[in-house]
Amino acid sequence: MSWFYRNAIRPILFTQEAESIHNRTMALLNRAGRSELLCDAMHSFLGAPPLPVELFGLRFPNPIGLAAGMDKNAVALPAWAAMGFGFAELGAATWHAQPGNPEPRVFRAIPEEAIVNRMGFNNLGAEVIAERLADWKKLGRWPKHPVGMNLGKSKITPLDKAAEDYANSFRVLRPHLDFFVVNVSSPNTPNLRQLQDKSALDEIFAALQEVQSPPPGAPVPKSRPVRKKPILVKVAPDLTFEALDEILELVGPREIAGIVATNTTISRPASNIPVVQKVYAETGGLSGHPLRARSTEVIRHLYRQTGGKLPIIGVGGIFTAADAWEKIAAGASLVQVYTGLVYEGPGICRRIVSGLLECLETRALPGIASAVGRE
Ligand SMILES: Cc1cc2nc3c(=O)[nH]c(=O)nc-3n(C[C@H](O)[C@H](O)[C@H](O)COP(=O)(O)O)c2cc1C
């Protein structure tokens, strides 16, 4: 499948502009997702063997997730399980619907197996996305794996009103999803990454936790205590270790459930390939192979600083089981892919999970949890 995708399907897909083929694929997956029969057929080709992980009180059938940005509007939700994913992070959703940046805004650097994007949180807005999620449930097509939502800030909302903007989205989406990721690390919304600053992030998390805390003095029945949904934060690979450490200071006080490391990078590696240089000259965030090492470095740092006590979702340049193993061994309990799916095709989950099972077997380890942070 991998050979066939890389040599027969991918070259045809890549003759088309990146965003238009993405949209067409999503429309196809939307239709496939509505049919149990089609999803079952997809699953028999692409489904991954079981490799369960328990985290945040949730059960993940395997540790490979769909990274944020692929299914911003929850268009293809049931299809991700059919493609073997163990969880999906939808979004980014923002409180206000917005078109994102002008097109073109996604560029492939094929020789480096990388992408530069400056989408700018194009999405239908939290309320419409919440309705769509309810529709999937009504249709009986809700997946068995955990589903999370990436939350972004609306472009029109000023930075000093960011907490309210995130909280509005969280309020309407909270009932539908298993976990949330506060995205303050996209390079494509002006000044967004300033929200990674400790005091700004503190304000955002305070507002989110308030949404899911009973008002002071309200009676909480012992039989039905409020179950807080896990809220994670997604960080940029361009932060210094000192800045990451400041974020970690909020983990206890603001009940941050985990960290997603990392988003795309604004840095560019040197390249002497003219087509790559042209893509790297585009404004936006770089993902794929060139991001792999830095994102692993960030994960290793976070794992060491927290003594392995804070769950980390590792993302950035994962294409193979070896790449996923590297992230897990550095400290990630779960991993996600975006660019790897584009370059390796829909068999990626099955291949990575099978490869991880082999890694565990050769080291005589009983499961993913025992491999986290080992190397
Ligand atoms: C086209 C595109 C859109 C993205 N949109 C989002 C987004 O909305 N929110 C987010 O947190 N990350 C977004 N990302 C970042 C990915 O979730 C991921 O963190 C990053 O691409 C690194 O992983 P990868 O190398 O596997 O692609 C986007 C990435 C791409 C390529």
Side-chain angles (χ1 to χ4, degrees):
M1 180 67 185
S2 171
W3 184 92
F4 188 69
Y5 177 83
R6 289 173 75 101
N7 295 288
I9 300 176
R10 193 175 89 180
I12 298 168
L13 298 180
F14 280 14
T15 57
Q16 301 181 45
E17 195 274 319
E19 191 171 348
S20 56
I21 191 65
H22 172 84
N23 291 340
R24 264 182 241 162
T25 308
M26 295 301 290
L28 270 177
L29 291 178
N30 172 272
R31 261 181 269 154
R34 289 168 189 280
S35 156
E36 195 173 338
L37 203 71
L38 268 177
C39 282
D40 286 349
M42 273 167 77
H43 194 263
S44 60
F45 282 108
L46 305 169
L51 181 55
V53 176
E54 302 269 347
L55 203 66
F56 316 122
L58 300 168
R59 190 172 191 281
F60 297 78
N62 72 61
I64 317 300
L66 180 78
M70 180 70 77
D71 192 359
K72 289 175 184 283
N73 294 311
V75 166
L77 180 55
W80 306 119
M83 282 165 61
F85 283 99
F87 66 107
E89 184 183 331
L90 307 172
T94 57
W95 176 236
H96 298 284
Q98 52 185 41
N101 291 320
E103 295 177 28
R105 50 193 180 179
V106 190
F107 310 89
R108 305 180 196 102
I110 300 173
E112 299 291 344
E113 299 198 309
I115 292 175
V116 170
N117 93 84
R118 52 167 177 271
M119 299 296 281
F121 291 160
N122 53 308
N123 78 107
L124 298 172
E127 283 175 314
V128 174
I129 295 174
E131 283 167 24
R132 191 162 279 177
L133 294 171
D135 287 345
W136 283 123
K137 268 197 192 132
K138 261 187 251 155
L139 275 173
R141 303 293 300 127
W142 195 265
K144 292 196 180 77
H145 61 57
V147 184
M149 181 61 74
N150 186 269
L151 300 175
K153 182 190 76 69
S154 313
K155 191 175 178 188
I156 55 162
T157 303
L159 276 193
D160 61 347
K161 297 272 185 307
E164 198 183 315
D165 193 81
Y166 282 99
N168 284 336
S169 301
F170 183 53
R171 197 172 292 110
V172 298
L173 289 164
R174 187 180 171 277
H176 300 282
L177 296 146
D178 300 302
F179 70 94
F180 290 83
V181 179
V182 175
N183 179 3
V184 279
S185 48
S186 164
N188 302 318
T189 294
N191 305 320
L192 184 87
R193 286 170 310 151
Q194 287 179 27
L195 299 173
Q196 291 176 117
D197 174 71
K198 190 181 164 192
S199 63
L201 197 57
D202 186 42
E203 214 182 299
I204 294 169
F205 268 85
L208 297 181
Q209 295 298 7
E210 199 183 305
V211 170
Q212 56 178 351
S213 305
V220 181
K222 271 220 180 90
S223 54
R224 273 187 47 225
V226 183
R227 186 162 132 43
K228 288 195 172 174
K229 299 260 165 116
I231 314 176
L232 293 80
V233 60
K234 185 165 179 179
V235 295
D238 309 310
L239 286 182
T240 61
F241 286 167
E242 290 74 26
L244 289 167
D245 294 347
E246 284 207 6
I247 291 177
L248 291 179
E249 286 170 23
L250 296 175
V251 167
R254 292 295 177 212
E255 297 172 79
I256 296 181
I259 297 208
V260 182
T262 66
N263 214 314
T264 54
T265 176
I266 53 166
S267 73
R268 300 286 189 269
S271 173
N272 47 23
I273 308 170
V275 283
V276 173
Q277 285 169 345
K278 193 162 168 271
V279 170
Y280 283 1
E282 296 287 348
T283 303
L286 173 66
S287 59
H289 268 310
L291 178 60
R292 198 201 85 224
R294 175 62 189 168
S295 117
T296 303
E297 212 171 66
V298 171
I299 293 164
R300 185 166 285 117
H301 175 78
L302 293 168
Y303 185 82
R304 288 195 179 142
Q305 286 300 103
T306 55
K309 290 199 178 72
L310 183 72
I312 299 166
I313 301 182
V315 50
I318 296 176
F319 288 64
T320 63
D323 299 335
W325 183 262
E326 176 189 272
K327 295 268 191 289
I328 292 165
S333 295
L334 299 168
V335 296
Q336 296 176 321
V337 296
Y338 188 125
T339 308
L341 177 59
V342 173
Y343 281 94
E344 295 289 320
I348 190 169
C349 293
R350 173 177 265 193
R351 277 196 303 280
I352 293 182
V353 176
S354 304
L356 289 178
L357 280 164
E358 278 169 30
C359 290
L360 291 171
E361 203 180 301
T362 32
R363 290 164 181 82
L365 294 171
I368 289 296
S370 56
V372 175
R374 275 175 66 92
E375 284 159 25

